[in-house]
Amino acid sequence: MQNQLAAMLQDAALKIAACQTANDILNTKANYLGKKSLLNSLYSRMRELEPSERPAFGNLLNEARQKIEALLNERNNAIKEKSWQASSRSLDYTMPGVPGARGGYHPLTIVKREVDEVFLSLGFEIAEGPDIEDEFHNFDALNTPADHPSRNLADTFYLEGGKLLRTQTSTVQIRVMEKHKPPIRIISPGRCYRNDKPDPSHSPVFTQVEALVVDKGISMSDLKDTLQNFAVIMFGSQVKSRIRPHFFPFTEPSAEMDISCMVCGGTGCRVCKQSGWLELGGAGMVDPNVFDAVGIDSELYTGFAFGLGIERIAMLKYNIPDMRILFENDLRMLSQFRGELQ
Ligand code: DAH
């Protein structure tokens, strides 16, 4: 048995020295130290020896095991060292790093933040309301009759339990006035949802900014002044603004707001369809019925409100011809806005 052991040790030393990879080491280890190894069988065969010879032979076996383990470790370290040297030889530590791809803000985020900034500079505060609303805040309190077409399934996404996805940020007017007494001077940017098929100027999800000012003595001229200030700060000092009569259930009188076309300067072009004006959104003086719905005294207070479309502003500002482009998130489009916002 001793001869067998000595031969095995010799053999193991040769095989270990021939190992080239970490895998070779594992296999060789299994062969010489594993369950089916000669060494292991010699341990079992110790029973064949005289009891007095067993301790000495046991020691020999243990020494052999330690020797093989030491050889394996040594060879393994040498292999590791060699592969590290090989990989570091191909590394040039003086080479500049590879820059990671940098993200950027979406054009709608850029425009929304700019609009926020403009109104903050005009003394407005930012208010928020939920996207999931009820009929009271989206329609009833906004003086919208039960048979108004906008309540139709074809226009509004209804949810279970009498809830709906808000179709306009005007809901936040109600939420703010329920909680706060005048003076009120807020804007509320946010998503709105309508059951519209996507086309160049429609999307089932879109973004509005609502504005509401309520105090004693607020008049239509305050609305016009705010609109003009907004237009000049947002689009430049040469831009003019105007309002035209319109109808909304929650304002009386109601208006639509236009700014002069920044593409042609008001002389008429393809973008403004030769009219010289671009429509920005709806506006008006808060209807007394709306004040009644939220418990504000309409004899004492007046107010104006308006709603702007953020997609529309982004499309005008960046010359984007189709609203759907804003929602496709095509990196070729988005990467053009990298670095637009500090
Ligand atoms: N909520 C209207 C819409 O989505 C826009 C609007 C019109 C908002 C007049 C107003 C307003 O605050 O006074 O079409």
Side-chain angles (χ1 to χ4, degrees):
M1 285 203 282
Q2 284 199 15
N3 290 343
Q4 263 182 311
L5 187 62
M8 185 274 283
L9 262 179
Q10 247 183 0
D11 188 41
L14 285 174
K15 290 275 159 52
I16 293 172
C19 284
Q20 296 300 329
T21 64
N23 233 1
D24 292 347
I25 295 281
L26 283 181
N27 289 332
T28 314
K29 187 174 180 177
N31 283 344
Y32 291 97
L33 300 178
K35 263 200 186 140
K36 291 184 183 153
S37 64
L38 177 73
L39 188 67
N40 214 29
S41 71
L42 289 177
Y43 273 108
S44 336
R45 285 181 55 201
M46 278 208 319
R47 265 177 282 121
E48 299 167 18
L49 297 173
E50 292 298 321
S52 59
E53 289 173 356
R54 285 180 200 165
F57 189 68
N59 278 342
L60 278 182
L61 290 181
N62 287 343
E63 276 167 22
R65 162 176 288 278
Q66 282 161 10
K67 181 102 202 276
I68 293 173
E69 273 171 355
L71 286 173
L72 282 166
N73 266 342
E74 204 181 306
R75 182 69 197 142
N76 199 25
N77 288 339
I79 290 171
K80 269 197 216 152
E81 172 84 359
K82 220 167 101 189
S83 79
W84 187 83
Q85 275 174 0
S87 67
S88 65
R89 224 177 292 126
S90 60
L91 274 183
D92 177 358
Y93 296 105
T94 63
M95 232 165 93
V98 181
R102 205 158 63 85
Y105 287 102
H106 191 281
L108 285 178
T109 305
I110 297 169
V111 170
K112 183 189 142 311
R113 290 197 184 180
E114 271 179 23
V115 170
D116 285 357
E117 284 298 318
V118 173
F119 283 111
L120 287 171
S121 78
L122 294 174
F124 284 74
E125 282 177 53
I126 295 178
E128 283 188 345
D131 290 21
I132 296 178
E133 268 294 3
D134 48 42
E135 291 208 55
F136 177 77
H137 291 90
N138 201 80
F139 295 123
D140 300 328
L142 285 164
N143 197 36
T144 308
D147 58 358
H148 193 275
S150 65
R151 295 203 184 215
N152 213 297
L153 257 180
D155 293 290
T156 301
F157 289 114
Y158 286 93
L159 307 173
E160 281 169 7
K163 299 279 185 187
L164 50 82
L165 294 178
R166 69 175 175 196
T167 60
Q168 50 190 351
T169 44
S170 305
T171 53
V172 188
Q173 291 188 31
I174 304 303
R175 297 232 163 239
V176 168
M177 288 192 287
E178 279 174 332
K179 279 222 190 100
H180 302 281
K181 294 293 148 230
I184 291 168
R185 194 175 174 82
I186 58 103
I187 59 159
S188 185
R191 289 219 168 100
C192 302
Y193 308 83
R194 282 182 206 173
N195 203 346
D196 283 331
K197 266 224 175 78
D199 72 20
S201 55
H202 291 88
S203 160
V205 184
F206 57 99
T207 326
Q208 287 188 335
V209 171
E210 192 78 10
L212 173 70
V213 173
V214 183
D215 204 347
K216 289 175 187 156
I218 296 291
S219 72
M220 205 87 177
S221 68
D222 295 307
L223 165 62
K224 286 187 71 173
D225 184 55
T226 304
L227 170 63
Q228 179 60 30
N229 277 329
F230 169 75
V232 165
I233 305 174
M234 190 77 196
F235 299 106
S237 55
Q238 71 293 348
V239 170
K240 293 196 242 346
S241 64
R242 72 173 187 188
I243 55 174
R244 285 174 289 111
H246 198 72
F247 173 79
F248 295 102
F250 33 89
T251 41
E252 183 57 40
S254 300
E256 268 187 334
M257 308 179 291
D258 299 332
I259 54 166
S260 55
C261 178
M262 60 274 232
V263 178
C264 62
T267 53
C269 68
R270 217 160 39 96
V271 175
C272 61
K273 301 201 181 88
Q274 309 306 330
S275 73
W277 294 95
L278 297 166
E279 193 189 309
L280 268 196
M285 299 303 292
V286 179
D287 193 297
N289 288 342
V290 174
F291 282 140
D292 289 348
V294 291
I296 287 180
D297 185 352
S298 57
E299 294 289 322
L300 204 56
Y301 293 105
T302 50
F304 72 78
F306 57 81
L308 305 170
I310 294 287
E311 283 78 8
R312 171 116 177 111
I313 297 176
M315 288 165 75
L316 290 172
K317 198 172 157 170
Y318 296 120
N319 203 7
I320 296 172
D322 188 320
M323 195 187 283
R324 291 170 292 191
I325 293 173
L326 287 169
F327 298 101
E328 279 165 359
N329 287 331
D330 185 329
L331 284 177
R332 289 170 301 179
M333 191 280 283
L334 293 180
S335 61
Q336 295 175 44
F337 294 91
R338 209 182 281 157
E340 265 278 323
L341 197 78
Q342 308 74 40

